[in-house]
Amino acid sequence: MSPDTQTTSTGLELVVDIGPVAHGGHCVARHEGRVVFVRHGIPGERVRIRLTDAEEKAKFWRGDVVEVLDASPDRVPHFWRTADSASSWAHGRPPVGGAELGHVSLQRQRSLKSEVLAEQLRRLAAVELSPEVEAVGEAKAGPMEGAGVKDDGGTGLGWRTRASFGVTGSGRLGMHAHRSDQVIPIQEMPLAIDEINALRLWDVDLQGIERVEVAAPANGSRPLVLLAPAPGTRAKRLNSILSQLPADVSVASYDPLKNETLQLRGRTWVQESAAGHDYRVTGAGFWQIHRDAPDTLVSAVTEFLHDGGFLEPGAAVADLYAGAGLFTAPLADAVGETGSVLSVEGAPGTSRDARKNLHGAPQVEIVQGKVERVLRQRPRLFDALVLDPPRAGAGKAVVGQLIASNPRAIAYVSCDPSSFARDIGYFQQGGWQLSGLRAFDLYPHTHHLETVALLTPRG
């Protein structure tokens, strides 16, 4: 066994030099020619790692940093002990997921995310760009101070308005370790806004519950707690949990397999606000989780389209994968009653939300169904399309349909640089070009980022 290799009570450990950052929240290292994907390191560091996935015949291994031997100048103390790798493994357990870049300065985090985006664009779309990943929240708080905008003080904390939790076998609130079914109990969630932490769900006996989802709108309206009961959990147990929660919080039970929500107290939805509009969002429905994300993304999309002359009164536009109508409402404002907006969403509950949210806009048509089916069955000419697909992206077939609909421009919103870059490649193969790109750090201390792109026909 190499002197840089040792076996401990928690598994096999290696000493490696950390190489470049890669998509997915890890960096690349090598051990005796084998690739090792390492989390909780920084490029250029020399570290000791614990292997978390190391089958002998596997093409690559995975590992977590347990000791830093030669630290990067960009390394900072982790803000959350339960998510700190070295501290967690010193106590014999893995760190919780969801804060895998908490050991890196915010400036370097954004630089690393920019590198990942640039590498994905280069590899999957043959595009040479290194876009800046823009800070959100603290960058705007100064000039808007006193206007109801909260500043995180440049810490990157307190931004999550939605959070998902597991429950331990003893009924305590927890979070999963990365790529694991193990639920680790927690006593705080530093990335969440104060309204979520104020619920103190870690003090509640959650026996009989498998999962907990919380939505606390940034506008201060009534939070919602969704409880996913384990099979066989009785109403008496749910009522006991209900009695432990603050009286001004809505509570519902949720069956993720049936996508059914049952009211226990208050509402089964929350009221969100963005771009001068209020939105009803069903508890299990999608909404951007960063408190400043909705306004940030609406501004980026509408600026791209308006400045290009694609979003004017009387224009025909479509909002695809529209959710509850975050983009639909401001698009309807821009085109006016002489224009038209087709809003397409696949999830029935979320589409019903959009219908309620846009009932006062006669220029909006709400259609529930798959984007590819709606585009095929309702062919029409558009000035612009807004595309905000799930993490998997649009895919080759949908991109082909979008191109075939012959719009003048497409604004593409994405939360995954890999599927985004792949789709940009498809657009380029179809004769389109990337005419504008912005990237936003809507998920500080994680590897995730959001992009907004403007695509136009080449020539």
Side-chain angles (χ1 to χ4, degrees):
M1 183 177 291
S2 162
D4 286 344
T5 304
Q6 65 183 56
T7 302
T8 70
S9 60
T10 57
L12 185 64
E13 295 185 356
L14 310 174
V15 173
V16 297
D17 295 315
I18 300 294
V21 65
H23 175 53
H26 45 246
C27 295
V28 179
R30 292 185 180 274
H31 175 73
E32 298 179 351
R34 191 194 307 265
V35 169
V36 184
F37 291 121
V38 178
R39 294 173 75 82
H40 312 287
I42 304 175
E45 290 187 325
R46 187 169 178 79
V47 298
R48 183 178 297 280
I49 66 170
R50 181 196 184 275
L51 293 177
T52 57
D53 189 351
E55 294 185 10
E56 185 58 38
K57 294 183 179 180
K59 291 183 178 180
F60 58 84
W61 288 347
R62 298 177 185 274
D64 287 352
V65 171
V66 294
E67 182 184 3
V68 180
L69 305 176
D70 186 5
S72 163
D74 296 308
R75 179 171 284 273
V76 298
H78 205 295
F79 61 88
W80 191 9
R81 193 173 183 84
T82 314
D84 179 58
S85 183
S87 173
S88 295
W89 283 115
H91 289 84
R93 60 161 180 79
V96 298
E100 64 274 9
L101 296 186
H103 62 287
V104 187
S105 69
L106 282 171
Q107 183 177 359
R108 184 67 189 278
Q109 286 183 34
R110 291 166 189 145
S111 173
L112 292 174
K113 294 179 186 185
S114 177
E115 290 177 31
V116 168
L117 178 56
E119 190 273 335
Q120 294 293 304
L121 286 170
R122 181 170 52 252
R123 184 170 63 87
L124 298 175
V127 170
E128 292 289 343
L129 278 177
S130 297
E132 173 193 2
V133 175
E134 304 175 35
V136 173
E138 70 261 30
K140 296 183 177 182
M144 296 180 69
E145 188 173 355
V149 176
K150 291 186 178 180
D151 179 14
D152 67 10
T155 63
L157 306 179
W159 50 267
R160 290 191 71 116
T161 62
R162 293 180 173 235
S164 178
F165 303 99
V167 178
T168 69
S170 60
R172 312 316 300 178
L173 190 79
M175 293 182 66
H176 286 89
H178 179 62
R179 293 173 57 87
S180 172
D181 292 331
Q182 182 177 356
V183 178
I184 299 163
I186 62 171
Q187 291 288 323
E188 61 177 339
M189 209 305 175
L191 297 181
I193 63 174
D194 291 343
E195 288 81 354
I196 290 179
N197 282 289
L199 297 175
R200 298 192 63 82
L201 294 174
W202 37 81
D203 292 336
V204 177
D205 178 3
L206 293 167
Q207 291 185 71
I209 303 299
E210 292 185 336
R211 200 175 84 198
V212 180
E213 305 279 344
V214 184
N219 59 19
S221 62
R222 192 173 189 175
L224 170 65
V225 175
L226 287 179
L227 305 173
T233 299
R234 297 184 177 183
K236 183 178 180 180
R237 178 87 276 270
L238 292 177
N239 288 332
S240 174
I241 295 171
L242 193 64
S243 69
Q244 300 174 68
L245 297 173
D248 60 346
V249 173
S250 294
V251 186
S253 65
Y254 174 61
D255 184 336
L257 296 179
K258 297 180 180 179
N259 197 27
E260 293 178 351
T261 302
L262 176 66
Q263 178 192 38
L264 298 178
R265 183 176 68 204
R267 308 183 297 205
T268 59
W269 50 275
V270 293
Q271 179 178 301
E272 300 281 1
S273 301
H277 293 270
D278 290 329
Y279 300 83
R280 168 192 166 123
V281 183
T282 299
F286 175 77
W287 188 258
Q288 292 287 342
I289 61 175
H290 191 294
R291 63 179 187 234
D292 296 310
D295 284 322
T296 297
L297 296 176
V298 166
S299 176
V301 166
T302 54
E303 283 179 14
F304 267 152
L305 295 179
H306 181 270
D307 292 351
F310 310 115
L311 188 62
E312 298 175 339
V317 300
D319 182 10
L320 308 178
Y321 308 96
L326 171 62
F327 296 110
T328 307
L331 290 174
D333 292 341
V335 303
E337 293 193 8
T338 60
S340 66
V341 182
L342 173 65
S343 180
V344 183
E345 168 57 38
T350 308
S351 185
R352 286 193 293 270
D353 287 340
R355 202 172 294 278
K356 292 178 183 294
N357 296 332
L358 280 303
H359 72 277
Q363 67 271 44
V364 174
E365 179 185 6
I366 306 291
V367 178
Q368 187 267 313
K370 291 186 176 181
V371 166
E372 51 269 40
R373 177 177 61 80
V374 174
L375 290 177
R376 185 173 59 252
Q377 294 178 350
R378 297 168 180 256
R380 64 182 73 178
L381 295 176
F382 294 104
D383 292 290
L385 304 177
V386 174
L387 185 68
D388 186 10
R391 190 172 301 279
K396 190 172 187 178
V398 172
V399 168
Q401 285 183 294
L402 298 178
I403 293 173
S405 67
N406 200 32
R408 297 169 57 210
I410 296 174
Y412 188 155
V413 182
S414 171
C415 62
D416 184 87
S418 180
S419 62
F420 169 72
R422 178 205 65 204
D423 287 349
I424 295 301
Y426 294 149
F427 276 110
Q428 293 192 133
Q429 292 169 17
W432 283 57
Q433 64 186 358
L434 185 61
S435 298
L437 178 62
R438 295 180 70 183
F440 300 99
D441 191 17
L442 296 185
Y443 314 93
H445 301 298
T446 80
H447 69 276
H448 300 290
L449 72 154
E450 199 90 6
T451 52
V452 178
L454 178 66
L455 293 151
T456 55
R458 192 178 296 121

